[in-house]
Amino acid sequence: MDYDIVIIGGGPGGYTAAIRAAQLGAKAALIEKDSLGGTCLNRGCIPTKTLYRNAEILNTLSKADDFGIYVEGLRFDIEKMQQRKENVINQLRGGIYNLLKANNVDIINGAGSLKDKNTVEVINADGTLEELTAKNIIIAAGSKPSKPPIDGADSEGVYSNEDMLNFKKVPDKLLIIGGGVIGMEFAGIFRSLGSRVTVIEFMPGILMQVDTDITKRYSVLLKKQGIDVYTSTKVSKIEKTGESFIVHTEGKKGEASFEADQILIAAGRSPLIEGLNIDKLGIFYDKKGISVDEDFMTNIEGIYAIGDVNGISMLAHAASHQGIHAVEKIMGINKENKSPIPGCIFVFPEIASVGITEEQAKESGLKYKTSKFLFGGNGKALALGETDGLVKVIASEDDVILGVHIMGPHASDLIQEGTLAVSMGLRTEEIRGIIHAHPTLSEAFHEAVLGIEGLGIHSMPVRKR
C-alpha cells in the first residue's frame, strides 16, 4: 500500500499528525502496536490525572470542617477508583479512533520498523507481515520508564510509574526513588490516600527544571503534608525482607536506610527506539533520542521523529505540536517553530511554568525584573480555601514578559495566559490594560504583571530608599 505519510506510533504526537495530514489532503496511515493514545492516555497523563482528582477530593474532604461541613465515616473504594480510571481511558481512546476514521486515516494494529527510507515493515497483531511504502515517514514511537542500575531494583514490589497506576491496595509506607515530576505527582496522590511517603532524589533538589522560588515554597508545604524528601542522596541497594523492603542510601550525612512496603522507581523516561531498525538506515541518535532539525526531520530526508522519541520535550502537548509542524512542513507549509512549551505538574498545590526561570536569566547574564503576587491576596483563592502559592513573572529590562511561574489553585489552567504572553513577546503594558474578571484566580497573574512596573493595586507599595 502506498501512502503520502506513514506514522509509526499512535500517541498524542502520532494521531495528531495523522489527523492534520488528512486535513491537508494527504493519504495517511497510522501504525500502533498497542492501544491508541500511547503512553499519555493509557499509562501516563490521563490515568495519573484521573487518580489525582480522587486525591484532590480526599484533600478537600479532609478540610471540610473549615467550611462548616462535617463528614463522618469517610472511606474509599480502590476497585471503583480503578474502574473510573479505565472508563475515562476507554472513552478517550474510542474518541481518538472515531476521529481517525472520520478523517479517513488507515489504522494498522501492528509493530512498525523501517526497511528503507520509503518503506515500513509491519508485523500485524495476527502475526502476518505487510509493507507500506510512503513518500514520508514520521517516527512517533514514544518512550519507556528508565530503570537505574540499582541492586534489587527488579524485586517484586518495586514498580515503575506505569505499574503503580494499577495499584490494588494503598501501601502503608511508600518510598519513591526520584523527585522529578512523576515522582512528586505520585507522592501527592498516595499521601492523600493515606500512605507515609518518602522521596529519595539523587540531585541537589526536587523538580530541578522549576524556578527555585516555587520549589522552595513547595518544599515547605511538603513538610506540612508529611512527605519526607531527601536530596543529594543515592540509592545503593534495595533489599527485600519478607513482605517489606530496606532501601540503603548514601547521602550528605553518610549512609542511611529506609523501610518501605512498596517502592516506586520514578527516574525519568528513555526514548523507545528499539525495534525501529534506525541503525540500518544510519539515522543519527544518542541516549537522549533521535537527532532532528528545527522541522523535526532526521538526517535522512523524508524521515521525521516527533515527541518523546527525539528527547526534546517529553510532554504530550509538545509531541502534538511537533506532529502538526512536521506534517505541515511535508505538505509545503512553512512556519517558524517558536512557541514556548508550558509545563504542568499535578502536585498539591499545582505547579505550572513557561519561559525562562530566574536561574536561567542569571546564567545568561540577562538584565531582568521579577514580580510576585501571593494567592493569599486573591479573593477567589480565599473563597476556595486554597491560598498557598504565588504567581511569579520574569520580564526583560524593557518589560517584555519572558517567564511565568505559578504554584497554586488551578495553576495548570492559569498558565495558558502566561504562555500566550511569552509566545507573543507581550510587554507588561499590553496586559496591564486587559480587564480580568473579578473574583477570579486570573487576577493574581494580572497583579504579578502590574508589579513589574511597581503598579500593583493589591500589593503593598515598594518603599523607595
Side-chain angles (χ1 to χ4, degrees), residues 335-366:
K335 288 182 180 178
E336 191 177 355
N337 179 36
K338 66 172 187 175
S339 177
I341 303 170
C344 301
I345 307 172
F346 291 84
V347 289
F348 297 100
E350 290 180 2
I351 295 172
S353 299
V354 68
I356 65 170
T357 63
E358 186 168 357
E359 293 70 44
Q360 290 170 334
K362 286 178 181 176
E363 288 170 6
S364 65
L366 184 71

PDB file of all heavy atoms in Angstrom, residues 335-366:
ATOM      1  N   LYS A 335       6.309  27.199   8.591  1.00  0.00           N
ATOM      2  CA  LYS A 335       6.053  28.045   9.750  1.00  0.00           C
ATOM      3  C   LYS A 335       7.244  28.003  10.686  1.00  0.00           C
ATOM      4  O   LYS A 335       7.923  26.976  10.794  1.00  0.00           O
ATOM      5  CB  LYS A 335       4.804  27.550  10.511  1.00  0.00           C
ATOM      6  CG  LYS A 335       3.486  27.818   9.809  1.00  0.00           C
ATOM      7  CD  LYS A 335       2.340  27.334  10.683  1.00  0.00           C
ATOM      8  CE  LYS A 335       0.983  27.584  10.031  1.00  0.00           C
ATOM      9  NZ  LYS A 335      -0.123  27.066  10.869  1.00  0.00           N
ATOM     10  N   GLU A 336       7.462  29.118  11.379  1.00  0.00           N
ATOM     11  CA  GLU A 336       8.533  29.149  12.361  1.00  0.00           C
ATOM     12  C   GLU A 336       8.079  28.397  13.612  1.00  0.00           C
ATOM     13  O   GLU A 336       6.965  28.593  14.087  1.00  0.00           O
ATOM     14  CB  GLU A 336       8.877  30.600  12.720  1.00  0.00           C
ATOM     15  CG  GLU A 336      10.146  30.734  13.541  1.00  0.00           C
ATOM     16  CD  GLU A 336      10.504  32.179  13.819  1.00  0.00           C
ATOM     17  OE1 GLU A 336       9.814  33.080  13.283  1.00  0.00           O
ATOM     18  OE2 GLU A 336      11.460  32.412  14.579  1.00  0.00           O
ATOM     19  N   ASN A 337       8.951  27.539  14.105  1.00  0.00           N
ATOM     20  CA  ASN A 337       8.620  26.737  15.286  1.00  0.00           C
ATOM     21  C   ASN A 337       9.169  27.439  16.530  1.00  0.00           C
ATOM     22  O   ASN A 337      10.271  27.179  16.979  1.00  0.00           O
ATOM     23  CB  ASN A 337       9.240  25.340  15.135  1.00  0.00           C
ATOM     24  CG  ASN A 337       8.959  24.462  16.335  1.00  0.00           C
ATOM     25  OD1 ASN A 337       7.892  24.522  16.922  1.00  0.00           O
ATOM     26  ND2 ASN A 337       9.940  23.657  16.721  1.00  0.00           N
ATOM     27  N   LYS A 338       8.391  28.385  17.078  1.00  0.00           N
ATOM     28  CA  LYS A 338       8.920  29.212  18.165  1.00  0.00           C
ATOM     29  C   LYS A 338       8.088  29.182  19.446  1.00  0.00           C
ATOM     30  O   LYS A 338       8.445  29.822  20.431  1.00  0.00           O
ATOM     31  CB  LYS A 338       9.037  30.657  17.697  1.00  0.00           C
ATOM     32  CG  LYS A 338       7.694  31.321  17.399  1.00  0.00           C
ATOM     33  CD  LYS A 338       7.857  32.812  17.139  1.00  0.00           C
ATOM     34  CE  LYS A 338       6.486  33.488  17.013  1.00  0.00           C
ATOM     35  NZ  LYS A 338       6.594  34.937  16.875  1.00  0.00           N
ATOM     36  N   SER A 339       6.979  28.491  19.457  1.00  0.00           N
ATOM     37  CA  SER A 339       6.107  28.523  20.624  1.00  0.00           C
ATOM     38  C   SER A 339       6.795  27.939  21.853  1.00  0.00           C
ATOM     39  O   SER A 339       7.378  26.849  21.792  1.00  0.00           O
ATOM     40  CB  SER A 339       4.818  27.734  20.354  1.00  0.00           C
ATOM     41  OG  SER A 339       4.003  27.714  21.513  1.00  0.00           O
ATOM     42  N   PRO A 340       6.772  28.649  22.985  1.00  0.00           N
ATOM     43  CA  PRO A 340       7.323  28.073  24.213  1.00  0.00           C
ATOM     44  C   PRO A 340       6.442  26.930  24.702  1.00  0.00           C
ATOM     45  O   PRO A 340       5.245  26.899  24.413  1.00  0.00           O
ATOM     46  CB  PRO A 340       7.290  29.251  25.197  1.00  0.00           C
ATOM     47  CG  PRO A 340       6.150  30.097  24.720  1.00  0.00           C
ATOM     48  CD  PRO A 340       6.149  29.965  23.217  1.00  0.00           C
ATOM     49  N   ILE A 341       7.041  25.993  25.414  1.00  0.00           N
ATOM     50  CA  ILE A 341       6.302  24.819  25.877  1.00  0.00           C
ATOM     51  C   ILE A 341       5.980  24.976  27.357  1.00  0.00           C
ATOM     52  O   ILE A 341       6.878  24.982  28.199  1.00  0.00           O
ATOM     53  CB  ILE A 341       7.124  23.536  25.663  1.00  0.00           C
ATOM     54  CG1 ILE A 341       7.501  23.382  24.191  1.00  0.00           C
ATOM     55  CG2 ILE A 341       6.338  22.313  26.138  1.00  0.00           C
ATOM     56  CD1 ILE A 341       8.503  22.276  23.932  1.00  0.00           C
ATOM     57  N   PRO A 342       4.699  25.105  27.698  1.00  0.00           N
ATOM     58  CA  PRO A 342       4.349  25.165  29.121  1.00  0.00           C
ATOM     59  C   PRO A 342       4.461  23.791  29.762  1.00  0.00           C
ATOM     60  O   PRO A 342       4.268  22.766  29.111  1.00  0.00           O
ATOM     61  CB  PRO A 342       2.895  25.652  29.104  1.00  0.00           C
ATOM     62  CG  PRO A 342       2.361  25.178  27.785  1.00  0.00           C
ATOM     63  CD  PRO A 342       3.514  25.201  26.828  1.00  0.00           C
ATOM     64  N   GLY A 343       4.776  23.781  31.044  1.00  0.00           N
ATOM     65  CA  GLY A 343       4.832  22.530  31.791  1.00  0.00           C
ATOM     66  C   GLY A 343       3.919  22.594  33.001  1.00  0.00           C
ATOM     67  O   GLY A 343       3.883  23.616  33.699  1.00  0.00           O
ATOM     68  N   CYS A 344       3.165  21.530  33.236  1.00  0.00           N
ATOM     69  CA  CYS A 344       2.229  21.483  34.361  1.00  0.00           C
ATOM     70  C   CYS A 344       2.546  20.279  35.243  1.00  0.00           C
ATOM     71  O   CYS A 344       2.748  19.175  34.729  1.00  0.00           O
ATOM     72  CB  CYS A 344       0.791  21.390  33.862  1.00  0.00           C
ATOM     73  SG  CYS A 344       0.303  22.768  32.796  1.00  0.00           S
ATOM     74  N   ILE A 345       2.584  20.510  36.547  1.00  0.00           N
ATOM     75  CA  ILE A 345       2.901  19.450  37.495  1.00  0.00           C
ATOM     76  C   ILE A 345       1.729  19.327  38.463  1.00  0.00           C
ATOM     77  O   ILE A 345       1.397  20.288  39.169  1.00  0.00           O
ATOM     78  CB  ILE A 345       4.200  19.758  38.257  1.00  0.00           C
ATOM     79  CG1 ILE A 345       5.337  20.051  37.253  1.00  0.00           C
ATOM     80  CG2 ILE A 345       4.575  18.594  39.169  1.00  0.00           C
ATOM     81  CD1 ILE A 345       6.608  20.555  37.907  1.00  0.00           C
ATOM     82  N   PHE A 346       1.111  18.170  38.487  1.00  0.00           N
ATOM     83  CA  PHE A 346      -0.107  17.977  39.275  1.00  0.00           C
ATOM     84  C   PHE A 346       0.226  17.444  40.666  1.00  0.00           C
ATOM     85  O   PHE A 346       0.052  16.272  40.976  1.00  0.00           O
ATOM     86  CB  PHE A 346      -1.079  17.080  38.514  1.00  0.00           C
ATOM     87  CG  PHE A 346      -1.643  17.760  37.299  1.00  0.00           C
ATOM     88  CD1 PHE A 346      -0.943  17.766  36.098  1.00  0.00           C
ATOM     89  CD2 PHE A 346      -2.849  18.449  37.367  1.00  0.00           C
ATOM     90  CE1 PHE A 346      -1.444  18.419  34.978  1.00  0.00           C
ATOM     91  CE2 PHE A 346      -3.357  19.108  36.253  1.00  0.00           C
ATOM     92  CZ  PHE A 346      -2.659  19.100  35.062  1.00  0.00           C
ATOM     93  N   VAL A 347       0.744  18.388  41.466  1.00  0.00           N
ATOM     94  CA  VAL A 347       1.004  18.128  42.876  1.00  0.00           C
ATOM     95  C   VAL A 347       0.019  18.988  43.669  1.00  0.00           C
ATOM     96  O   VAL A 347      -0.902  19.576  43.106  1.00  0.00           O
ATOM     97  CB  VAL A 347       2.475  18.454  43.223  1.00  0.00           C
ATOM     98  CG1 VAL A 347       3.405  17.441  42.603  1.00  0.00           C
ATOM     99  CG2 VAL A 347       2.859  19.869  42.776  1.00  0.00           C
ATOM    100  N   PHE A 348       0.201  19.071  44.981  1.00  0.00           N
ATOM    101  CA  PHE A 348      -0.709  19.867  45.816  1.00  0.00           C
ATOM    102  C   PHE A 348       0.060  20.966  46.524  1.00  0.00           C
ATOM    103  O   PHE A 348       0.839  20.666  47.430  1.00  0.00           O
ATOM    104  CB  PHE A 348      -1.413  18.961  46.832  1.00  0.00           C
ATOM    105  CG  PHE A 348      -2.281  17.912  46.199  1.00  0.00           C
ATOM    106  CD1 PHE A 348      -1.831  16.610  46.068  1.00  0.00           C
ATOM    107  CD2 PHE A 348      -3.538  18.234  45.709  1.00  0.00           C
ATOM    108  CE1 PHE A 348      -2.610  15.642  45.466  1.00  0.00           C
ATOM    109  CE2 PHE A 348      -4.337  17.269  45.112  1.00  0.00           C
ATOM    110  CZ  PHE A 348      -3.874  15.970  44.987  1.00  0.00           C
ATOM    111  N   PRO A 349      -0.109  22.243  46.129  1.00  0.00           N
ATOM    112  CA  PRO A 349      -0.944  22.724  45.031  1.00  0.00           C
ATOM    113  C   PRO A 349      -0.238  22.557  43.680  1.00  0.00           C
ATOM    114  O   PRO A 349       0.948  22.265  43.638  1.00  0.00           O
ATOM    115  CB  PRO A 349      -1.126  24.215  45.371  1.00  0.00           C
ATOM    116  CG  PRO A 349       0.127  24.576  46.108  1.00  0.00           C
ATOM    117  CD  PRO A 349       0.515  23.346  46.887  1.00  0.00           C
ATOM    118  N   GLU A 350      -1.008  22.743  42.614  1.00  0.00           N
ATOM    119  CA  GLU A 350      -0.466  22.580  41.269  1.00  0.00           C
ATOM    120  C   GLU A 350       0.681  23.559  41.009  1.00  0.00           C
ATOM    121  O   GLU A 350       0.732  24.655  41.570  1.00  0.00           O
ATOM    122  CB  GLU A 350      -1.554  22.825  40.217  1.00  0.00           C
ATOM    123  CG  GLU A 350      -2.622  21.764  40.154  1.00  0.00           C
ATOM    124  CD  GLU A 350      -3.676  22.035  39.098  1.00  0.00           C
ATOM    125  OE1 GLU A 350      -3.563  23.049  38.360  1.00  0.00           O
ATOM    126  OE2 GLU A 350      -4.619  21.244  39.011  1.00  0.00           O
ATOM    127  N   ILE A 351       1.594  23.139  40.113  1.00  0.00           N
ATOM    128  CA  ILE A 351       2.701  23.990  39.675  1.00  0.00           C
ATOM    129  C   ILE A 351       2.679  24.031  38.147  1.00  0.00           C
ATOM    130  O   ILE A 351       2.478  23.005  37.499  1.00  0.00           O
ATOM    131  CB  ILE A 351       4.053  23.444  40.163  1.00  0.00           C
ATOM    132  CG1 ILE A 351       4.134  23.499  41.694  1.00  0.00           C
ATOM    133  CG2 ILE A 351       5.216  24.208  39.543  1.00  0.00           C
ATOM    134  CD1 ILE A 351       5.356  22.803  42.272  1.00  0.00           C
ATOM    135  N   ALA A 352       2.875  25.219  37.585  1.00  0.00           N
ATOM    136  CA  ALA A 352       2.931  25.351  36.131  1.00  0.00           C
ATOM    137  C   ALA A 352       3.927  26.444  35.764  1.00  0.00           C
ATOM    138  O   ALA A 352       4.046  27.452  36.466  1.00  0.00           O
ATOM    139  CB  ALA A 352       1.552  25.679  35.560  1.00  0.00           C
ATOM    140  N   SER A 353       4.641  26.236  34.667  1.00  0.00           N
ATOM    141  CA  SER A 353       5.685  27.181  34.261  1.00  0.00           C
ATOM    142  C   SER A 353       5.748  27.300  32.751  1.00  0.00           C
ATOM    143  O   SER A 353       5.404  26.369  32.021  1.00  0.00           O
ATOM    144  CB  SER A 353       7.058  26.714  34.761  1.00  0.00           C
ATOM    145  OG  SER A 353       7.109  26.620  36.158  1.00  0.00           O
ATOM    146  N   VAL A 354       6.217  28.462  32.297  1.00  0.00           N
ATOM    147  CA  VAL A 354       6.507  28.663  30.876  1.00  0.00           C
ATOM    148  C   VAL A 354       7.601  29.717  30.767  1.00  0.00           C
ATOM    149  O   VAL A 354       7.671  30.636  31.584  1.00  0.00           O
ATOM    150  CB  VAL A 354       5.252  29.097  30.086  1.00  0.00           C
ATOM    151  CG1 VAL A 354       4.796  30.498  30.466  1.00  0.00           C
ATOM    152  CG2 VAL A 354       5.479  28.979  28.585  1.00  0.00           C
ATOM    153  N   GLY A 355       8.450  29.566  29.773  1.00  0.00           N
ATOM    154  CA  GLY A 355       9.524  30.539  29.585  1.00  0.00           C
ATOM    155  C   GLY A 355      10.690  30.297  30.516  1.00  0.00           C
ATOM    156  O   GLY A 355      10.837  29.234  31.114  1.00  0.00           O
ATOM    157  N   ILE A 356      11.541  31.321  30.683  1.00  0.00           N
ATOM    158  CA  ILE A 356      12.778  31.150  31.439  1.00  0.00           C
ATOM    159  C   ILE A 356      12.539  31.257  32.939  1.00  0.00           C
ATOM    160  O   ILE A 356      11.608  31.923  33.403  1.00  0.00           O
ATOM    161  CB  ILE A 356      13.853  32.171  31.014  1.00  0.00           C
ATOM    162  CG1 ILE A 356      13.424  33.603  31.367  1.00  0.00           C
ATOM    163  CG2 ILE A 356      14.177  32.049  29.543  1.00  0.00           C
ATOM    164  CD1 ILE A 356      14.534  34.620  31.185  1.00  0.00           C
ATOM    165  N   THR A 357      13.382  30.569  33.708  1.00  0.00           N
ATOM    166  CA  THR A 357      13.384  30.707  35.159  1.00  0.00           C
ATOM    167  C   THR A 357      14.347  31.834  35.533  1.00  0.00           C
ATOM    168  O   THR A 357      15.150  32.295  34.714  1.00  0.00           O
ATOM    169  CB  THR A 357      13.854  29.415  35.840  1.00  0.00           C
ATOM    170  OG1 THR A 357      15.216  29.153  35.450  1.00  0.00           O
ATOM    171  CG2 THR A 357      12.987  28.236  35.432  1.00  0.00           C
ATOM    172  N   GLU A 358      14.294  32.254  36.780  1.00  0.00           N
ATOM    173  CA  GLU A 358      15.216  33.306  37.219  1.00  0.00           C
ATOM    174  C   GLU A 358      16.658  32.798  37.178  1.00  0.00           C
ATOM    175  O   GLU A 358      17.575  33.555  36.852  1.00  0.00           O
ATOM    176  CB  GLU A 358      14.856  33.784  38.621  1.00  0.00           C
ATOM    177  CG  GLU A 358      15.687  34.975  39.067  1.00  0.00           C
ATOM    178  CD  GLU A 358      15.187  35.664  40.313  1.00  0.00           C
ATOM    179  OE1 GLU A 358      14.123  35.270  40.841  1.00  0.00           O
ATOM    180  OE2 GLU A 358      15.865  36.608  40.768  1.00  0.00           O
ATOM    181  N   GLU A 359      16.852  31.523  37.470  1.00  0.00           N
ATOM    182  CA  GLU A 359      18.194  30.948  37.417  1.00  0.00           C
ATOM    183  C   GLU A 359      18.750  31.012  35.999  1.00  0.00           C
ATOM    184  O   GLU A 359      19.927  31.342  35.794  1.00  0.00           O
ATOM    185  CB  GLU A 359      18.170  29.490  37.896  1.00  0.00           C
ATOM    186  CG  GLU A 359      17.828  29.318  39.370  1.00  0.00           C
ATOM    187  CD  GLU A 359      16.383  29.644  39.691  1.00  0.00           C
ATOM    188  OE1 GLU A 359      15.485  29.208  38.933  1.00  0.00           O
ATOM    189  OE2 GLU A 359      16.142  30.359  40.687  1.00  0.00           O
ATOM    190  N   GLN A 360      17.922  30.726  35.006  1.00  0.00           N
ATOM    191  CA  GLN A 360      18.359  30.797  33.615  1.00  0.00           C
ATOM    192  C   GLN A 360      18.673  32.237  33.199  1.00  0.00           C
ATOM    193  O   GLN A 360      19.615  32.480  32.454  1.00  0.00           O
ATOM    194  CB  GLN A 360      17.283  30.203  32.707  1.00  0.00           C
ATOM    195  CG  GLN A 360      17.148  28.703  32.833  1.00  0.00           C
ATOM    196  CD  GLN A 360      15.922  28.146  32.125  1.00  0.00           C
ATOM    197  OE1 GLN A 360      14.925  28.841  31.948  1.00  0.00           O
ATOM    198  NE2 GLN A 360      15.972  26.881  31.725  1.00  0.00           N
ATOM    199  N   ALA A 361      17.881  33.164  33.699  1.00  0.00           N
ATOM    200  CA  ALA A 361      18.129  34.581  33.397  1.00  0.00           C
ATOM    201  C   ALA A 361      19.479  35.013  33.962  1.00  0.00           C
ATOM    202  O   ALA A 361      20.252  35.716  33.292  1.00  0.00           O
ATOM    203  CB  ALA A 361      17.005  35.443  33.973  1.00  0.00           C
ATOM    204  N   LYS A 362      19.777  34.580  35.180  1.00  0.00           N
ATOM    205  CA  LYS A 362      21.062  34.923  35.799  1.00  0.00           C
ATOM    206  C   LYS A 362      22.224  34.311  35.030  1.00  0.00           C
ATOM    207  O   LYS A 362      23.229  34.970  34.761  1.00  0.00           O
ATOM    208  CB  LYS A 362      21.085  34.436  37.249  1.00  0.00           C
ATOM    209  CG  LYS A 362      20.239  35.247  38.210  1.00  0.00           C
ATOM    210  CD  LYS A 362      20.289  34.640  39.614  1.00  0.00           C
ATOM    211  CE  LYS A 362      19.419  35.424  40.583  1.00  0.00           C
ATOM    212  NZ  LYS A 362      19.388  34.781  41.930  1.00  0.00           N
ATOM    213  N   GLU A 363      22.082  33.028  34.686  1.00  0.00           N
ATOM    214  CA  GLU A 363      23.158  32.312  33.988  1.00  0.00           C
ATOM    215  C   GLU A 363      23.470  32.924  32.630  1.00  0.00           C
ATOM    216  O   GLU A 363      24.616  32.917  32.183  1.00  0.00           O
ATOM    217  CB  GLU A 363      22.783  30.838  33.824  1.00  0.00           C
ATOM    218  CG  GLU A 363      22.822  30.052  35.122  1.00  0.00           C
ATOM    219  CD  GLU A 363      22.226  28.664  34.985  1.00  0.00           C
ATOM    220  OE1 GLU A 363      21.893  28.276  33.840  1.00  0.00           O
ATOM    221  OE2 GLU A 363      22.077  27.970  36.007  1.00  0.00           O
ATOM    222  N   SER A 364      22.443  33.470  31.970  1.00  0.00           N
ATOM    223  CA  SER A 364      22.647  34.061  30.649  1.00  0.00           C
ATOM    224  C   SER A 364      23.145  35.509  30.714  1.00  0.00           C
ATOM    225  O   SER A 364      23.418  36.116  29.679  1.00  0.00           O
ATOM    226  CB  SER A 364      21.348  34.014  29.838  1.00  0.00           C
ATOM    227  OG  SER A 364      20.356  34.824  30.449  1.00  0.00           O
ATOM    228  N   GLY A 365      23.250  36.045  31.928  1.00  0.00           N
ATOM    229  CA  GLY A 365      23.705  37.426  32.082  1.00  0.00           C
ATOM    230  C   GLY A 365      22.663  38.454  31.696  1.00  0.00           C
ATOM    231  O   GLY A 365      22.979  39.628  31.468  1.00  0.00           O
ATOM    232  N   LEU A 366      21.414  38.024  31.635  1.00  0.00           N
ATOM    233  CA  LEU A 366      20.327  38.907  31.209  1.00  0.00           C
ATOM    234  C   LEU A 366      19.957  39.892  32.314  1.00  0.00           C
ATOM    235  O   LEU A 366      19.898  39.530  33.494  1.00  0.00           O
ATOM    236  CB  LEU A 366      19.117  38.049  30.847  1.00  0.00           C
ATOM    237  CG  LEU A 366      17.879  38.733  30.287  1.00  0.00           C
ATOM    238  CD1 LEU A 366      18.152  39.218  28.870  1.00  0.00           C
ATOM    239  CD2 LEU A 366      16.708  37.766  30.292  1.00  0.00           C
TER     240      LEU A 366
END
